[in-house]
Amino acid sequence: MIGETGMARCHMLAPPARAPLDGAAKIASQSFTSKGPVGGQTKRPKPRRTLLEFCPSFCLGPVSMANHLFTSYVCNDFLFVLPYAVKYGVQDDVMFLAHHVTLVITWTSFLTGSWGHLFAVPTMLTEVTAPFVFMRWLLNEFKIGGAPFIANGLLLLFAWYFFRIAGYVFFLSIRLFELRGELLDPAMAARNLPVLAFHLLGCFLQLHWGKLLTLGALRTISPAKKKTEKEAS
């Protein structure tokens, strides 16, 4: 049995009793702890993010790097075409420059705001067609026709329809339509609407250039039509 001396020692070692907190003090104390009113973890409000900004954490780095490289590539492309557009004033070159100006503005917004992943990836994939476009120019410069020219043209046409028409014009347009509530959110209008305008311009240009490529391919692989054109000339 514990004597009175032992009981006194136990009381001396025990922590002092805390006075009950009133309502205001209790709320103030909970705000500086990780425990909520019911003993659970306090949930801090997360910053607002939309599907237009969504990108899994494991791909944030690669997508950001791709955006930087893509912006540099587009600026280089713009400077390459600019002298020809100024010198000859061809409509396609002027449209090309307008497209690239809006593209640089859009990607600057993506890079500075760290958003637009959903829009950026399908758009960057359209540049899969670039090597075939360059090869076509190279074949024309060296006046190489025949099978190499036809093969490159068919590969270009296939890549154009797959990545630019199906991927950019149709898939991305359908996805943006599904997200129209977020895209047209008045709180985000200053950021989102220029991207929407760029997309509409891009759709028009992809379809326009796709039509020109298709007509050129048909002229190339249609001997009867070529023969008729020669006789008419």
Side-chain angles (χ1 to χ4, degrees), residues 53-150:
E53 298 170 322
F54 173 74
C55 188
S57 58
F58 67 86
C59 72
L60 279 173
V63 170
S64 177
M65 181 181 294
N67 279 335
H68 281 85
L69 293 174
F70 184 69
T71 305
S72 301
Y73 161 75
V74 169
C75 290
N76 178 75
D77 214 21
F78 175 86
L79 294 176
F80 179 79
V81 176
L82 181 61
Y84 295 95
V86 172
K87 184 176 181 179
Y88 300 109
V90 179
Q91 181 182 2
D92 279 350
D93 288 342
V94 174
M95 293 169 64
F96 179 89
L97 293 180
H99 173 261
H100 276 47
V101 168
T102 57
L103 197 153
V104 170
I105 294 172
T106 302
W107 254 251
T108 301
S109 174
F110 289 167
L111 291 172
T112 56
S114 186
W115 74 287
H117 312 113
L118 173 70
F119 188 91
V121 173
T123 306
M124 290 188 290
L125 284 174
T126 61
E127 292 305 318
V128 170
T129 61
F132 303 110
V133 174
F134 174 73
M135 184 59 66
R136 178 185 176 123
W137 174 82
L138 203 61
L139 293 172
N140 280 331
E141 285 293 311
F142 289 95
K143 304 187 185 309
I144 300 174
F149 187 85
I150 293 175

Side-chain angles (χ1 to χ4, degrees), residues 136 149 157 210-222:
R136 178 185 176 123
F149 187 85
L157 195 63
K211 181 191 77 171
L212 296 180
L213 286 172
T214 304
L215 293 176
L218 290 175
R219 284 195 298 267
T220 302
I221 63 177
S222 177

